[in-house]
Amino acid sequence: MKNYIVFDLEWNQSPHGKVDSIEEFPFEIIEIGAVKLDERFCQQDEFHRLVCPQVYKQIHYAISEVTHMSIGELKQDGEKFPQVVQEFLEWCGPDAVYCTWGSMDLMELQRNMRYYGIRNPLPKPLFYYDVQKLYGLFYKEGAKLSLDAVVDELGLMEERPFHRALTDAYYTGRVLGRMGEMMDPEQFLVYKSVDYYRLPEGKKEEIYLEFPDYSKYVSRVFPSKEDAMEEKAVTEMRCYVCGRALRKKIRWFTPNQKVYYALAVCPEHGYLRGKIRMKRVSDPEVFAVKILKLTDEEGAQQIYKRKEDVRKKRSGRNRTKARLAARDSRR
């Protein structure tokens, strides 16, 4: 039997900004809140703990304004993180299916575990449900709304303040439950997300996912963007419906060195749009996330236009450089 663990974290940071911030530990968890839902998304239990900070022992003013927590409250009622996270993971149980609002909570949970030298028992790759993403996908054409906006839109508001871990977890669970009432849960449960904190360590661990209307590939880490773009698995275009390898009509190009686009045509299923997003690990190391999605004539024309815009900008820069070089040569 599945247990859907909908959880939320509140975290603190250096009150003095980046100057006194630890690079590998920018956010210290100060509160964990969670609700446990059954397969019908009905709440069965809840978990709540405060964490006494050991690193950033003053509350950043912005965190205090949002959460209304004080360092005195955390010192008096909080426990140390290793104890809290152990209790939380035991409460979640071995069949936990994690759900969050957004993509940051699982990353920060694992980053805090790593900082304290706690063995990470979560599965790898770690799949979860991003409720914010799911709601946007089915009801907002992909737009991502804030939790309080969605709660208000669905008429779920209660006398519980936002920006506390248990309350935000509770409301996220309510949104998930309402989605399960409005549609067949199987329609959205196929859209699982994958956590990027622990990346594939080699080619065999690279992740390939297929969804009803697109496919996703997550690569291992490469020394640079250039190395990533030389890897066949990163750049190949394959129709996720029939599996056919396709020849590109527009080869991969980039307007900004962070996102790459391409276009191919499947003789059976039509245009296939490709998008590669380069995500930095540590400069210059990157990993690639590739999305392939079937599109129509209008979508294909958008790729053509984007390619032409890039060509025009590059041509303009080259003409400017040539004029500057000619001017300097006459001096």
Side-chain angles (χ1 to χ4, degrees):
M1 180 176 177
K2 291 181 180 178
N3 286 317
Y4 291 96
I5 304 299
V6 186
F7 79 96
D8 185 81
L9 307 173
E10 299 297 337
W11 53 70
N12 189 28
Q13 63 192 80
S14 169
H16 308 298
K18 290 186 177 181
V19 176
D20 294 328
S21 181
I22 300 173
E23 183 176 359
E24 68 275 14
F25 190 62
F27 305 116
E28 182 176 14
I29 293 171
I30 54 176
E31 186 179 32
I32 300 178
V35 295
K36 185 179 291 186
L37 310 181
D38 62 19
E39 292 181 327
R40 295 173 297 172
F41 307 119
C42 296
Q43 183 171 328
Q44 302 299 307
D45 199 3
E46 65 179 37
F47 178 96
H48 178 247
R49 296 288 189 280
L50 294 178
V51 178
C52 181
Q54 305 297 304
V55 178
Y56 304 122
K57 297 183 180 182
Q58 297 179 43
I59 299 292
H60 190 284
Y61 75 92
I63 304 298
S64 179
E65 287 181 358
V66 170
T67 65
H68 303 291
M69 281 190 277
S70 69
I71 194 66
E73 177 187 4
L74 295 174
K75 286 182 176 179
Q76 178 177 320
D77 300 328
E79 304 169 32
K80 291 185 177 181
F81 178 78
Q83 178 182 344
V84 171
V85 77
Q86 184 65 34
E87 292 176 2
F88 174 60
L89 293 173
E90 289 177 0
W91 176 83
C92 291
D95 299 321
V97 179
Y98 293 97
C99 309
T100 62
W101 190 267
S103 60
M104 288 191 65
D105 290 275
L106 274 170
M107 176 180 292
E108 294 309 324
L109 181 67
Q110 294 176 93
R111 182 147 54 184
N112 275 245
M113 290 166 62
R114 182 174 183 177
Y115 182 82
Y116 282 100
I118 300 169
R119 185 185 69 85
N120 191 335
L122 301 174
K124 183 185 177 185
L126 177 55
F127 298 110
Y128 68 101
Y129 289 107
D130 180 345
V131 183
Q132 182 188 44
K133 174 184 173 181
L134 294 178
Y135 188 82
L137 182 66
F138 283 92
Y139 300 105
K140 295 296 174 181
E141 299 182 344
K144 294 184 178 181
L145 276 65
S146 65
L147 178 59
D148 53 345
V150 174
V151 167
D152 182 58
E153 184 173 87
L154 294 177
L156 300 174
M157 193 74 73
E158 300 179 19
E159 292 185 5
R160 302 174 65 135
F162 287 99
H163 308 301
R164 290 299 298 262
L166 181 56
T167 298
D168 286 2
Y170 170 80
Y171 279 131
T172 302
R174 291 293 310 277
V175 172
L176 189 60
R178 181 60 60 87
M179 288 183 65
E181 295 170 0
M182 295 189 296
M183 61 192 297
D184 182 353
E186 293 304 318
Q187 289 181 264
F188 61 80
L189 289 178
V190 298
Y191 288 95
K192 57 187 177 181
S193 295
V194 59
D195 176 67
Y196 297 147
Y197 184 72
R198 290 179 295 169
L199 295 166
E201 294 182 7
K203 202 165 186 176
K204 290 184 178 180
E205 288 190 7
E206 291 182 327
I207 301 167
Y208 296 84
L209 298 172
E210 290 187 4
F211 302 100
D213 51 353
Y214 69 95
S215 66
K216 185 175 189 176
Y217 158 81
V218 181
S219 80
R220 63 193 187 275
V221 176
F222 291 96
S224 67
K225 294 189 291 286
E226 292 74 22
D227 290 299
M229 293 303 293
E230 290 179 1
E231 173 64 34
K232 180 182 178 182
V234 174
T235 59
E236 70 176 350
M237 301 277 283
R238 188 176 294 273
C239 178
Y240 56 89
V241 179
C242 63
R244 183 185 279 112
L246 307 177
R247 181 173 295 178
K248 302 176 188 67
K249 286 187 72 69
I250 298 180
R251 295 185 178 183
W252 292 103
F253 68 94
T254 177
N256 55 18
Q257 301 300 314
K258 295 179 180 179
V259 182
Y260 295 74
Y261 301 95
L263 184 70
V265 178
C266 174
E268 184 177 354
H269 298 103
Y271 288 112
L272 186 72
R273 182 179 63 194
K275 180 178 181 180
I276 297 172
R277 187 176 296 277
M278 293 293 177
K279 294 183 174 288
R280 187 170 68 88
V281 180
S282 60
D283 195 25
E285 290 185 323
V286 300
F287 70 99
V289 178
K290 177 175 67 178
I291 301 291
L292 300 178
K293 187 172 186 177
L294 290 171
T295 190
D296 55 14
E297 181 69 34
E298 182 180 353
Q301 289 304 316
Q302 290 175 358
I303 298 295
Y304 278 108
K305 183 180 183 303
R306 185 171 275 144
K307 171 74 171 179
E308 180 63 14
D309 290 344
V310 170
R311 186 195 68 78
K312 288 180 179 178
K313 288 181 180 178
R314 184 176 294 121
S315 178
R317 287 195 298 267
N318 289 340
R319 286 196 299 269
T320 299
K321 288 180 180 178
R323 286 197 299 269
L324 292 174
R327 184 188 66 186
D328 292 342
S329 67
R330 292 194 296 268
R331 290 180 177 177

